[in-house]
Amino acid sequence: MIQLKSRREIDLMRESADLVGRTLGKVAEHVEPGMTLEELDAIAEDYIRTHGAEPAFKGYKVGENVFPGTLCTSVNEAVVHGIPNDYALQSGDLLSVDCGVELNGYFGDSAFTFAVGEIDEETRALCQTTYRALHLGIEQATAGNRVGDIGHVIEDYCSSRGYGVVRDLVGHGIGKELHEKPQIPNFGKPGSGRKLKKGLTACIEPMVNQGTASIDVDSDGWTIRAADGKPSAHYEHMIAVGDGEAEILTTFEYIEDVVDPPYETTPSVTHNSTANG
């Protein structure tokens, strides 16, 4: 069943969401050529635990596979679920960082794609499109709309620009569990799927490839890559469905304070900020 959240629960989830944003902001301070993925992961884990929370991904199980890191760090053609290792970042890399925390019984989850040093214009355009698609999807997350409305606008916007929208991976509900119902695909038909109701909390997360939408899975059982080896971008926000426009619980503001993001920061949906620490 879909777990609709009360105002109090959404406020608690905002605290978890804000910590994710601050953690990604801390990681942003160290995204530079020469830094290893393991080093970024250690920085994130220390920050999360210091602030009284638990990393949501570390120890997460899918079948017999146990994720070993605090962050998912996916470089270039890696779409999502990259395991932090000793790879040292290089100028021109595209780095997707997905972060989750559990705080006060509720989960927070968000992802951001970083440009390492200077990236080419083609790669920057991929990031811009994916970022814009995220906000177009959020605009559809209003009470009375349906899940398919979110996915349709994301896929239509990206595919019309020649990009491949990954269909094998989806967004999801979130709350007391990291992954709750419903699934939020990045494709769909208008007016199809579950009706969105006030109190639904979910993660919308376009995963968009520069070329094919097809993916492969590494032998580690986690890392997912674009099948043609071309770059992939991934942005994710937590939202709460209300009577009007969606309430964005996560934020990229802490990241944008540190780095020049690989997109123009002109979303049409407003983030409602929370206190930080």
Side-chain angles (χ1 to χ4, degrees):
M1 292 181 61
I2 294 176
Q3 303 294 324
L4 300 180
K5 310 303 190 300
S6 66
R7 182 70 257 172
R8 176 182 173 278
E9 289 179 298
I10 291 171
D11 287 342
L12 286 170
M13 291 180 66
R14 183 189 297 283
E15 295 178 12
S16 302
D18 190 64
L19 179 55
V20 171
R22 287 186 281 132
T23 302
L24 288 172
K26 179 60 65 174
V27 169
E29 296 175 7
H30 303 276
V31 173
E32 57 188 17
M35 180 65 68
T36 71
L37 303 180
E38 288 174 334
E39 289 171 327
L40 294 177
D41 194 67
I43 289 166
E45 181 171 0
D46 179 69
Y47 191 85
I48 290 167
R49 295 192 186 279
T50 298
H51 287 79
E54 293 292 324
F57 301 162
K58 193 162 191 174
Y60 189 87
K61 294 185 67 174
V62 175
E64 296 301 314
N65 292 328
V66 180
F67 194 78
T70 290
L71 302 174
C72 294
T73 52
S74 307
V75 180
N76 296 330
E77 79 281 1
V79 181
V80 287
H81 302 166
I83 295 174
N85 55 28
D86 62 359
Y87 176 78
L89 294 171
Q90 302 176 35
S91 184
D93 281 343
L94 204 60
L95 171 65
S96 167
V97 179
D98 197 347
C99 179
V101 307
E102 183 180 9
L103 177 67
N104 298 327
Y106 289 88
F107 284 88
D109 187 8
S110 183
F112 187 90
T113 297
F114 292 90
V116 182
E118 293 296 324
I119 60 173
D120 60 43
E121 286 305 312
E122 190 176 8
T123 305
R124 186 175 291 273
L126 168 67
C127 294
Q128 180 71 66
T129 297
T130 308
Y131 173 83
R132 177 62 180 150
L134 167 65
H135 286 280
L136 289 172
I138 291 171
E139 288 177 350
Q140 295 297 315
T142 60
N145 276 4
R146 292 183 178 272
V147 167
D149 296 320
I150 298 172
H152 171 75
V153 72
I154 290 172
E155 182 177 41
D156 183 66
Y157 183 76
C158 296
S159 62
S160 69
R161 285 155 176 78
Y163 298 114
V165 178
V166 175
R167 285 173 163 252
D168 301 78
L169 303 158
V170 297
H172 53 91
I174 190 169
K176 289 186 176 180
E177 300 293 334
L178 179 60
H179 297 111
E180 296 183 350
K181 293 183 178 179
Q183 292 188 342
I184 311 289
N186 295 307
F187 60 91
K189 295 180 179 180
S192 67
R194 288 184 177 270
K195 182 176 288 188
L196 304 175
K197 297 181 179 180
K198 181 179 179 180
L200 171 67
T201 50
C203 292
I204 298 175
E205 49 178 321
M207 290 156 273
V208 182
N209 297 343
Q210 195 174 81
T212 181
S214 299
I215 58 170
D216 294 322
V217 183
D218 281 5
S219 59
D220 62 23
W222 287 104
T223 307
I224 294 174
R225 300 183 186 276
D228 59 5
K230 293 183 178 180
S232 183
H234 174 214
Y235 294 95
E236 176 182 12
H237 269 319
M238 279 174 61
I239 60 97
V241 175
D243 293 323
E245 67 180 26
E247 184 178 352
I248 305 178
L249 303 179
T250 45
T251 179
F252 297 152
E253 291 171 5
Y254 302 109
I255 301 168
E256 293 165 355
D257 286 343
V258 176
V259 300
D260 179 25
Y263 54 76
E264 293 296 324
T265 56
T266 55
S268 55
V269 185
T270 302
H271 169 70
N272 297 306
S273 187
T274 183
N276 77 76

